[in-house]
Amino acid sequence: MSTKPFLLKHFNPASKIPKYLQIREAVRGLIEKGIVLEQETIPPERDLAEWFGVSRMTVRQAVDELVREGLLEKRLGDGTFVKDQKLSGRMHGAGSFSDEIALSGKRTHSKMLGQVVTRPTEQIAKKLEIEEGETSVIRIERIRYVNEYPISHQISYLPFNLCYPILSADLNVSSLYHHLAQSAGMVMKAGKETIQAIVADDVNAELLQIPVGQPCFLLCRTMYAEQVNRPVEYVETMIRGDKFMFVNQIDGKGIE
């Protein structure tokens, strides 16, 4: 849906809700639904005033509240832009990248950089608890995008003998975990993950479109499936530090 129809769909001049609040929430919706992306401009105040049939002062009141919230920024002579927004992810949970980000209403997709069957290094064999006689793993390398921005560079390793059906899956448009469940019968149930601060090297800087040396997060995760008593995925994910933050919920147990 384009900008004007979306805005007017979320505005009712007969409502008892103040018009500036309706306009504020309609513009917020443009951002949350990805209709207007980060570093893009929202429509000018004069256009918004004409579309909604209100004064420019009413529009300005709505826009100024979004500026104070940090969603928008005004640039003299250039207009009002959507500010870069950090995504958030839980520090606990076995959900996929797509599922996690979809909760925030963002559009996600992946770009495959490579999918090969290869021999595991000693480190990967240890992470996956490769058994004697197993000689191959599937290596999947992808760039993950949110609203068209590259957010993470991810390399996954899976035991070939358990997960070979995913070789025919299109991982550009859907979740690896979904395909593991549907085609290989592997449903993720638990895992262990480490998170550390790191800086982008030449390779990741180019792939993620950031300067060399920019702070990032490195996530290393080992996942287990319900059907087998061993790891079925080891994945290393480099995430842009300027676009992501982690959220940890504290339940109060043990606090004195």
Side-chain angles (χ1 to χ4, degrees):
M1 183 179 293
S2 60
T3 301
K4 183 177 179 180
F6 179 91
L7 290 172
L8 295 182
K9 180 180 178 181
H10 293 82
F11 181 77
N12 178 9
S15 172
K16 294 182 179 180
I17 299 173
K19 291 182 174 62
Y20 85 94
L21 290 179
Q22 294 188 62
I23 295 170
R24 183 193 67 186
E25 294 310 303
V27 174
R28 187 197 307 277
L30 288 177
I31 301 167
E32 292 178 345
K33 296 300 182 182
I35 297 172
V36 180
L37 302 178
E38 295 171 8
Q39 297 304 317
E40 291 183 348
T41 58
I42 65 169
E45 289 183 1
R46 63 177 179 276
D47 291 349
L48 293 174
E50 180 182 341
W51 295 348
F52 289 120
V54 299
S55 69
R56 291 182 64 172
M57 183 176 297
T58 299
V59 170
R60 188 171 299 122
Q61 185 178 7
V63 171
D64 285 348
E65 289 207 357
L66 295 175
V67 170
R68 286 192 291 271
E69 288 183 26
L71 288 177
L72 299 174
E73 63 175 339
K74 292 184 176 181
R75 299 178 188 172
L76 187 61
D78 291 327
T80 303
F81 288 75
V82 178
K83 291 185 68 175
D84 289 341
Q85 305 296 316
K86 283 198 174 187
L87 301 165
S88 62
R90 295 169 298 171
M91 293 185 70
H92 299 286
S96 70
F97 172 91
S98 302
D99 293 340
E100 186 81 18
I101 302 303
L103 294 175
S104 65
K106 307 289 187 180
R107 299 195 307 269
T108 68
H109 73 276
S110 301
K111 177 182 178 182
M112 288 286 292
L113 300 182
Q115 179 175 267
V116 297
V117 177
T118 185
R119 295 182 64 86
T121 64
E122 182 177 347
Q123 178 201 15
I124 299 304
K126 184 177 180 180
K127 294 290 186 182
L128 290 175
E129 299 177 14
I130 295 293
E131 299 175 352
E132 186 177 353
E134 293 182 76
T135 59
S136 299
V137 295
I138 302 170
R139 181 185 186 276
I140 300 171
E141 183 176 8
R142 295 177 288 174
I143 300 293
R144 318 303 298 273
Y145 291 82
V146 175
N147 286 350
E148 309 305 322
Y149 289 93
I151 296 297
S152 67
H153 174 214
Q154 188 173 76
I155 303 177
S156 300
Y157 299 90
L158 307 101
F160 174 79
N161 64 321
L162 295 177
C163 303
Y164 64 87
I166 67 163
L167 290 172
S168 60
D170 183 0
L171 298 179
N172 286 311
V173 295
S174 55
S175 164
L176 170 62
Y177 290 177
H178 170 78
H179 282 292
L180 282 173
Q182 295 297 314
S183 61
M186 297 291 171
V187 178
M188 299 300 186
K189 68 169 183 177
K192 50 188 177 183
E193 184 173 66
T194 63
I195 305 172
Q196 61 179 307
I198 197 170
V199 296
D201 58 16
D202 293 352
V203 173
N204 281 290
E206 181 177 357
L207 292 173
L208 296 177
Q209 300 174 19
I210 57 178
V212 174
Q214 179 166 304
C216 295
F217 297 108
L218 176 62
L219 279 66
C220 299
R221 174 188 280 196
T222 304
M223 292 299 299
Y224 296 78
E226 294 179 352
Q227 291 73 19
V228 291
N229 188 30
R230 56 170 291 188
V232 294
E233 182 197 33
Y234 172 69
V235 55
E236 296 180 347
T237 306
M238 179 80 80
I239 302 179
R240 291 176 55 164
D242 65 324
K243 293 288 188 180
F244 204 86
M245 64 181 177
F246 288 93
V247 177
N248 188 23
Q249 184 170 339
I250 300 173
D251 60 15
K253 294 180 181 178
I255 296 178
E256 298 180 354

